[in-house]
Every structure is written in structure tokens, then in C-alpha cells.
Amino acid sequence: MKTDEVRILLVEDDDIDAMGVQRAFFKEKIANDILRAKDGVEALEILRGQSGNSIESPYIILLDLNMPRMNGLEFLEEIRKDEKLKESIVFVLTTSTDDQDITRSYSHSIAGYIVKSDAGRGFLNLVGMLDRYWHVVELPKL
């Protein structure tokens, strides 16, 4: 699999945070397609092909926890119950440092929990780590 085939579903309600993620990918010269959903409901519609937007496999989900309509933890519960989506690779990307949020997220088999407050160069390092991640792992075609 070519690494540029890996698509990113960014589930983020905050426009500034979403632009920050996209800018970090650009700065790190990562050209993978990024599709954005503003909450868990919209993300599920995209993953299930129920909206004007859809995402092809393979993909990685970058998930915020604090969102309207359906928050990140509710979204994780939904996709893990869905036979077609339960194997999705999800990294939580959030402002929450709450131990309960971390524990609940990992109980839904996430690949990693990343706190957004590590801005600047640290965040660029995170984006670089994600780029290296999909260079070395085999991702399922869902």
C-alpha cells in the first residue's frame, strides 16, 4: 500500500483546531487527503456513505472528544458496535487530560491518546509520528 493512499478523517468541531491540524500536515509535507467532520454524527454519516462526502479505506480517524450532538466517546461506542467500522484505527486528539476520558477512550481500543495543548513544534512532531506510523504498519481495508 502506498502511504499517500491513507486518508485522514478529522472529527473536530473547532475551526481553528482543524486549520491547525491541516497546517501541520502541510508543514510536514504530508499530502494525504484530509476529510473533516464537525461531530460524531457527521463522521458516522461519512464512514457509512450516508452523506455527500464519503471516505475510502484505508483511513485513520483523528477524533476530538468534546463536540456537540455526538461527542468523541459516544462516537467510539457507536463505531465499535458497527461490524463494518469496528476495526477503524482511531487516535484521540483532544484538550482533555481527564483520567476518566483517557481510560474510557482506551477501553474502546484506540491507537493513541494525544493532548492538543502540546502546540507548536511538539504538535509537528506528532504529525510526523503519524506519518511514520502508516509507513510501517499494515492498515486494514474496511
Side-chain angles (χ1 to χ4, degrees), residues 1 60 89 132-139:
M1 162 186 42
I60 291 177
I89 296 168
R132 287 184 297 284
Y133 176 84
W134 64 67
H135 275 83
V136 280
V137 300
E138 290 296 322
L139 298 176

Side-chain angles (χ1 to χ4, degrees), residues 17-30 34 120 123-128:
D17 285 349
M19 286 188 300
V21 170
Q22 291 169 331
R23 193 169 33 254
F25 273 75
F26 179 77
K27 276 187 173 181
E28 290 295 304
K29 297 177 176 58
I30 301 170
I34 299 176
F123 187 71
L124 291 178
N125 289 337
L126 160 69
V127 171

Side-chain angles (χ1 to χ4, degrees), residues 50-61:
Q50 299 170 336
S51 73
N53 292 321
S54 63
I55 192 164
E56 293 180 30
S57 186
Y59 58 82
I60 291 177
I61 300 169

Side-chain angles (χ1 to χ4, degrees), residues 56-109:
E56 293 180 30
S57 186
Y59 58 82
I60 291 177
I61 300 169
L62 299 180
L63 177 67
D64 186 22
L65 291 185
N66 303 310
M67 296 177 294
R69 292 201 303 169
M70 176 185 281
N71 69 38
L73 291 169
E74 294 165 334
F75 172 80
L76 284 169
E77 288 174 20
E78 254 330 283
I79 66 166
R80 295 308 183 217
K81 290 189 294 189
D82 186 310
E83 281 300 313
K84 292 183 180 176
L85 302 176
K86 70 181 183 181
E87 303 298 325
S88 297
I89 296 168
V90 180
F91 286 89
V92 170
L93 183 59
T94 186
T95 57
S96 175
T97 58
D98 184 285
D99 283 336
Q100 282 188 317
D101 285 345
I102 295 168
T103 301
R104 286 182 65 202
S105 295
Y106 276 110
S107 75
H108 292 295
S109 303

